[in-house]
Amino acid sequence: MKLINDLKWRYATKQFDNTQKIPEEELKQLMEVVRLAPSSYGLQLYKVIIVEDPEIREKLKAASWNQNQITDSTALVVFCNFKDINDNHIDDYIKLKSETELIDINKLKGYGDFMKSKLKEMSQADKDNWTKRQTYIALGFLLTACAELKIDACPMEGFEVEKYNEILGLTDQNLSASVIAAIGYRDESDKIQYLPKVRKPIDELFEIVGECKLQFVA
Ligand SMILES: Cc1cc2nc3c(=O)[nH]c(=O)nc-3n(C[C@H](O)[C@H](O)[C@H](O)COP(=O)(O)O)c2cc1C
């Protein structure tokens, strides 16, 4: 499976070669992959901001434990989850579904009401947690797509959410930074790329419930 080789090739890049740019066509492909990522009910309660501007990235670096990847990569992808989730978000989705699947919107009312009732059961903290989790699926898709395109990436949680929200003006947009990824090209001086992958063996990571004839290979 080619994907396994791609995933062995990728690593959380620490040193980027800041002279290289991602071709526009490939950046568009990455955006399309993120767009196609699944989300709970398909609501996509997040927005993805791609920061190229060097000055803004310099400010973000100071809010990211001064990690070099923020400024040395080609771009910084900031996954942001919606904060206030309300019935309008459901109505927007139902409208989009009706237009896309050519279904009479009235036939989707029950489904919309169901989602609204589920939202009402959630506290603000639940909603925040829930929408944040969705962004990690999109992040996973981005990392996988990067590996296929031989674009390097570093997923990162080491940043100050409030400062990101302030620098990028996210709060006014009902958004909050959730997780980020620096993308670009590895520098050959980055020693980590030459190390083997540190992963638990399959038989420790998985437990099969039921009959399974799999033979674990160490
Ligand atoms: C959600 C998440 C947050 C991470 N945060 C950081 C980070 O802030 N800085 C960093 O250098 N690496 C970060 N990493 C990279 C991990 O340390 C790395 O993925 C892990 O050690 C596995 O190594 P590999 O990705 O090179 O295979 C993060 C990874 C994930 C998935």
Side-chain angles (χ1 to χ4, degrees):
M1 189 184 181
K2 182 180 171 294
L3 180 60
I4 292 179
N5 285 332
D6 293 340
L7 295 178
K8 285 183 175 166
W9 172 85
R10 71 146 294 282
Y11 73 108
T13 306
K14 309 290 174 197
Q15 296 289 327
F16 283 90
D17 170 0
N18 63 8
T19 62
Q20 293 196 57
K21 289 276 160 255
I22 299 172
E24 201 180 309
E25 189 49 40
E26 295 190 359
L27 192 59
K28 280 191 200 151
Q29 287 172 332
L30 293 179
M31 290 159 87
E32 179 65 353
V33 167
V34 169
R35 191 178 80 92
L36 291 171
S39 60
S40 194
Y41 299 120
L43 288 170
Q44 294 179 291
L45 295 170
Y46 46 78
K47 191 158 178 167
V48 187
I49 298 177
I50 300 176
V51 188
E52 288 178 327
D53 186 289
E55 278 176 33
I56 295 180
R57 283 202 282 156
E58 205 55 63
K59 285 186 194 157
L60 293 173
K61 180 181 175 183
S64 316
W65 310 351
N66 275 319
Q67 297 188 79
N68 291 328
Q69 298 97 310
I70 306 293
T71 44
D72 290 353
S73 55
T74 305
L76 184 69
V77 184
V78 183
F79 293 86
C80 310
N81 61 303
F82 286 157
K83 291 295 286 177
D84 175 36
I85 310 302
N86 54 48
D87 287 359
N88 292 338
H89 293 108
I90 309 288
D91 290 338
D92 288 348
Y93 171 74
I94 291 292
K95 184 167 174 285
L96 182 63
K97 185 174 171 67
S98 143
E99 288 166 359
T100 309
E101 296 180 352
L102 305 174
I103 305 172
D104 178 353
I105 199 158
N106 297 311
K107 293 204 170 117
L108 297 171
K109 187 176 178 312
Y111 183 43
D113 288 346
F114 170 75
M115 287 190 278
K116 286 175 188 174
S117 72
K118 286 287 153 202
L119 275 188
K120 289 204 173 61
E121 290 170 12
M122 293 167 109
S123 66
Q124 184 52 45
D126 289 341
K127 285 182 190 167
D128 201 37
N129 192 296
W130 179 55
T131 51
K132 267 192 184 142
R133 290 199 309 255
Q134 314 298 317
T135 62
Y136 280 73
I137 299 172
L139 169 74
F141 271 54
L142 174 74
L143 297 180
T144 309
C146 281
E148 185 178 328
L149 290 173
K150 295 284 181 286
I151 293 170
D152 284 291
C154 187
M156 301 168 87
E157 279 178 326
F159 65 95
E160 294 171 67
V161 173
E162 288 312 322
K163 290 203 177 143
Y164 264 61
N165 291 350
E166 195 187 309
I167 294 165
L168 296 172
L170 299 176
T171 311
D172 291 347
Q173 301 179 64
N174 187 28
L175 293 168
S176 180
S178 166
V179 67
I180 60 176
I183 57 174
Y185 297 94
R186 65 186 67 178
D187 194 283
E188 59 182 32
S189 69
D190 191 351
K191 296 197 177 69
I192 294 170
Q193 67 188 292
Y194 307 112
L195 297 173
K197 280 251 167 278
V198 181
R199 292 295 191 274
K200 290 180 181 176
I202 282 199
D203 57 355
E204 191 183 324
L205 189 63
F206 290 88
E207 186 181 320
I208 311 259
V209 178
E211 215 179 305
C212 184
K213 305 272 184 287
L214 269 187
Q215 293 238 313
F216 291 122
V217 184

